Each structure stands twice: as C-alpha cells, then as structure tokens.
C-alpha cells in the first residue's frame, strides 16, 4: 500500500465540494519533457485506433476541440512518471483500494483557436444501466488560467442528479448541458503546470477557450469503483442516436461514447 497522497483535509474538501485542486502532482521536469510528445501525437494524421482520435466539437466542419482517448498508447510516458503514480495514489484514497483505472484522455486546445469545453457532467457519457463512482484527475502541461482554458467547477454539484445534456455539434462527440445558462456559483481553478484538479463523475465542469498563442495541453486520468448495475436505468436520451437533430446516421452508437471527456 502506497503512502497517502492527500491530507485528511483535502479528502474532506473533495467530499464536500466534488472537486479539489492538488499542487505539484507531477515532477516539473517530467511535465516539460512530455510537451513535445504531446504536440507530436496531436499533430499526427492517422495512425490511431478506431475511436481513439475524436472531435468533441466542430466549427462548421473544422475540428476545434480534438481529443485523444487512450493517449498512453501513443505516448507511453504519460503514465510512466510521477503524474500517473500520484493520480493512482489519490484515487485509492478517494475511491478505496478496489478502484480500477477507467481510461485516460487528452484534450488539446490549439493556440488562438481552441473552443470552450462546455459545461457538462462526465456521467452523462456513461452507461445509464449502472451506478458510477468515479473521479478524473486533470493535469495541465503548462500553467493554466482563464486565458487558456483552466477548469471551472460548481461546488456541491456532484450530489445532484445528471442534468439533461445535448450534443455540442450534431456531427461531433462532445456533450453539453441542454440549458445554455452559466451555472450559478462556478469557481475557476487556475493552476500551475504539473498540478492537478480532481473532480467526481457528476461535478459540473467547464474549461474556457484558449486565447493565447500557445497550445493548452492537458491530460486526464480516470479511476472508478467497479460500477453496480441499476434495477432501473437512467433515461439519457442524448445517448440515443435517433434523438439527435440532423442525420442519425452521422451519430455514434452508445457504446462508442465511454469514459469522461
Ligand atoms: Ni468532463
């Protein structure tokens, strides 16, 4: 059993707020060393397993919110250093020793071009036939603030039901709250490179656009307790292809939309 990573106060704050800022989860040299590889995999054309490179949002037909699912398949160093080791340690503290890795992803916001990641709850993407207890550990590879897309959270929203969601764009994969109104009480979390934010499956969260002339690189590691089947499934109509506006043949079946985004 590894040493605890979080203090009791941090664990209590996470349980109260549904999110947490954690300083210095990664060795600074590791973070700098990851940047070139991160840029390289986002610059690749092709070579990805099916559904590993997806677009969360489009501007017309132009991708503006590229995501790589399972980025460690293409950049193994992402899970070989202090960031992932410490993410596992804090996941064991928050979820218990039975926690399992739930998959990783990376979202890149290109310079002067990255779209916002609209308000959503990760659980809206997940299987409605199960109850989920999960966290995401989000690690930016450069300093982040509101100029380049830091995370923002609504404290206490992790205790709410999953709100109605819809697609960001009919031909892309990302989900957003159906209600366009900015949720009340949002807290932006500017953090340095190699620090982390942690949030729960139902915590309302958002990341703004990147208005700077440098990429906004971030990777997210997800962990979960084994999920429990529900007697009565949730009704998530946004996961049903026929529900989407536009041509249903352009949308993805439910089982292709797994994991937090
Ligand atoms: Ni998310």
């Amino acid at each position: 059993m590894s040493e605890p990573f979080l203090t009791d106060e941090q664990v209590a704050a996470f349980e109260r707020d549904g999110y947490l800022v954690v300083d210095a989860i990664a060795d600074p040299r590791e973070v700098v060393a990851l940047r070139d590889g991160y840029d390289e995999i986002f610059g690749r054309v092709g070579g990805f397993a099916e559904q590993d490179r997806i677009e969360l949002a489009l501007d017309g037909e132009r991708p503006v919110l590229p995501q790589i699912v399972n980025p460690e398949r293409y950049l193994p160093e992402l899970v070989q250093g202090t960031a992932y080791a410490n993410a596992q340690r804090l996941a064991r503290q928050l979820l218990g020793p039975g926690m399992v890795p739930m998959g990783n992803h990376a979202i890149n916001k290109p310079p002067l071009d990255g779209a916002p990641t609209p308000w959503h709850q990760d659980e809206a993407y997940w299987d409605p036939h199960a109850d989920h207890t999960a966290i995401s550990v989000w690690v930016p590879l450069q300093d982040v603030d509101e100029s380049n897309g830091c995370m923002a959270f609504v404290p206490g929203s992790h205790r709410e039901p999953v709100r109605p969601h819809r697609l960001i764009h009919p031909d892309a994969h990302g989900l957003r709250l159906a209600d366009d109104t900015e949720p009340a009480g949002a807290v932006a979390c500017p953090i340095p490179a190699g620090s982390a934010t942690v949030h729960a499956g139902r915590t309302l969260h958002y990341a703004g656009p990147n208005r700077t002339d440098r990429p906004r690189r971030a990777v997210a590691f997800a962990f979960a307790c084994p999920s429990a089947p529900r007697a009565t499934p949730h009704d998530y109509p946004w996961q049903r292809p026929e529900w989407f506006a536009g041509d249903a043949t352009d949308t993805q079946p439910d089982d292709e939309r797994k994991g937090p985004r």
Side-chain angles (χ1 to χ4, degrees):
M1 192 69 189
S2 57
E3 288 292 301
F5 187 72
L6 302 174
T7 64
D8 291 348
E9 290 73 20
Q10 286 176 304
V11 172
F14 180 80
E15 287 171 357
R16 181 189 65 226
D17 296 333
Y19 77 95
L20 185 68
V21 171
V22 183
D23 291 333
I25 193 173
D27 183 302
R29 290 162 299 182
E30 172 185 321
V31 170
V32 170
L34 286 170
R35 288 177 191 158
D36 285 349
Y38 188 98
D39 292 345
E40 192 275 320
I41 61 172
F42 272 97
R44 280 186 202 177
V45 178
F48 293 99
E50 191 176 358
Q51 296 298 318
D52 274 3
R53 168 65 203 255
I54 63 176
E55 310 306 334
L56 294 177
L58 301 169
D59 178 4
E61 295 186 354
R62 191 169 57 92
V64 288
L65 203 54
Q67 172 170 272
I68 297 176
V69 182
N70 305 311
E72 71 283 359
R73 287 178 176 170
Y74 313 99
L75 187 61
E77 294 87 346
L78 283 172
V79 295
Q80 291 172 346
T82 57
Y84 192 69
N86 288 328
Q88 286 180 299
R89 288 169 65 194
L90 73 84
R92 272 187 214 104
Q93 276 185 275
L94 296 176
L95 298 171
M99 74 85 188
V100 289
M102 194 181 166
N104 309 313
H105 68 272
I107 298 178
N108 189 38
K109 291 186 191 265
L112 300 170
D113 195 28
T117 313
W119 286 100
H120 68 280
Q121 292 160 297
D122 291 338
E123 195 172 330
Y125 287 95
W126 300 343
D127 181 1
H129 299 84
D131 281 321
H132 303 277
T133 304
I135 63 165
S136 289
V137 182
W138 184 87
V139 183
L141 303 186
Q142 67 294 300
D143 298 353
V144 287
D145 60 22
E146 289 180 88
S147 73
N148 66 344
C150 69
M151 292 281 262
F153 303 97
V154 176
S157 54
H158 62 307
R159 289 189 290 266
E160 296 180 13
V162 174
R163 296 188 186 186
H165 283 65
R166 62 180 171 85
L167 285 176
I168 297 172
H169 185 286
D171 295 326
H173 290 69
L175 292 174
R176 62 182 304 163
L177 289 184
D179 181 351
D180 279 337
T181 322
E182 161 108 7
V187 177
C189 294
I191 57 173
S195 290
T197 62
V198 184
H199 65 273
R202 292 189 179 185
T203 308
L204 278 166
H205 59 285
Y206 166 90
N210 178 13
R211 299 190 190 87
T212 69
D213 59 4
R214 285 147 291 143
R216 194 233 56 184
R217 313 168 186 90
V219 60
F221 308 121
F223 304 93
C225 298
S227 60
R230 288 179 61 83
T232 309
H234 294 291
D235 182 23
Y236 294 163
W238 54 88
Q239 291 191 5
R240 293 202 293 266
E242 69 276 16
W243 180 81
F244 302 134
D247 183 356
T249 60
D250 284 342
T251 59
Q252 311 300 317
D254 291 359
D255 62 0
E256 290 181 6
R257 248 188 271 119
K258 286 180 179 157
R261 301 289 197 254

